[in-house]
Amino acid sequence: MEDNVFGIAKLDGDLNGIPENKIVIFAASPSVGNEVFGYQILYSNIIRNKKVLLLLNRSSPMAYINDMKDYDFIANNNLTILDAYSNFTLITPEKMDNIKVIQNPSDKDEIVRVLLEEMSKDYDILIIDSLSIFADSFGFDFVKSLIEKLSSTANKKISSALMFTEWNYNESDLNSIYSKVNATIQIRGIEKRVIFGQYFAVIKCDWVKDKEFSSALFKVLRPGGIKLYIPKILVTGPTNAGKSSFIHSSCKNAVSVDRLGGTIALDHGTLDFEGYIADMFGTPGQERFDPLLKMLGGEAIGVILVVDATDEKGFPRAIEMLRKTETYGLPIVVVANKYDLKGALKVDEIKERLHLGESVPIVPTVAEDLSKIDPNEPTKLKDEGVRQALSILFGLLKVKV
């Protein structure tokens, strides 16, 4: 049986999912919500036919399900909800087959009894919507005891994902619960007077050994949910190599500033690819715009260098543009465009002539349909080469904050 998943590319890649009988806590600062992490874990598992038990104490079941819909996460029959909210707030509980109401959610013993009884059934993962509400209502001793009971439940296959907000608690109380879980993932905002970014970081994980974890920037999209965020990928290269084609083939919303088919300022698009989103910026290739290159290269963390495989004379200009954008040393993938045309150099020949080192990947790309080329529009490139180049680049990137 496959492990449960986070549904978030980096977490599933680094931690290989959530194994059976493991407990993960998502510890968010008050400035950053953690609800979407719960939504995404829930949805990513129920669509894989995993049985998910959700203990709700922060909102009503229908409010939670409707909030999920904003991200295009639709509940199905693999989800069962324990409602510890409605009777606590004296609203009428919703009557549905997959909703089980805790009659007296002010009684901590009843919450534990009902939860453990339900967990003994055939579930794969438990999600608790707000562990911090339990801490506020019943104290940290109750929370510690609850976590201990989760780890010793009779259903040894069930794993748990606990959402927790770090309000103004004592550090000793926080450490007392973090010490009892198998993995802790912090969720934070990057703050300079206002919050202008969000990131998560794996603080500990006892089922992955000898691995250093990097932090990951993320954005929350509606629809889409949590996407790893790459602040800036630079696409550069000589004139007419195919930079605009690459960006327009990668991004649905790409725009170019151009005149007579040639980009005279920049290309820009937002890429949504395999759980990542990234802002892509393309440079003009003409030398008269070289004063812009350093500015356009600023804050880039990865580079796509596009060259025309049929134009060896353009290679020195490609290297010069890397130097002028000041992106040497960043993760780089070379896209060898027009690879199917007569006179195109082979990958080994391109690597030799560019002098970028053996480790720099070179990915061939070709036009989707040469008969449909419009000289005033970026040429559409075949998806296979574009996806390969992006996949390699994202594999090279290590986003740290």
Side-chain angles (χ1 to χ4, degrees), residues 217-279:
L217 298 168
F218 72 92
K219 281 190 173 183
V220 179
L221 303 184
R222 301 186 186 206
I226 296 165
K227 302 284 187 178
L228 301 184
Y229 177 49
I230 308 299
K232 189 174 187 180
I233 293 175
L234 189 72
V235 181
T236 191
T239 303
N240 295 323
K243 301 182 295 297
S244 296
S245 293
F246 188 87
I247 291 176
H248 281 258
S249 299
S250 303
C251 308
K252 293 180 179 178
N253 64 341
V255 293
S256 300
V257 180
D258 61 74
R259 181 177 62 197
L260 299 178
T263 301
I264 64 168
L266 58 87
D267 299 285
H268 174 258
T270 300
L271 171 70
D272 186 347
F273 178 76
E274 294 185 353
Y276 291 82
I277 59 171
D279 288 328

Side-chain angles (χ1 to χ4, degrees), residues 147-162:
I147 293 173
E148 290 170 354
K149 288 180 171 64
L150 295 181
S151 62
S152 61
T153 178
N155 180 359
K156 291 298 183 181
K157 80 169 188 174
I158 193 168
S159 52
S160 303
L162 316 178

Side-chain angles (χ1 to χ4, degrees), residues 14 20 50 105 144 175-176 180 220 231 254 259 266 373 396:
D14 285 353
E20 295 179 353
K50 297 285 188 173
K144 288 185 287 184
N175 291 335
S176 71
K180 294 186 177 298
V220 179
R259 181 177 62 197
L266 58 87
I373 289 179
L396 294 173

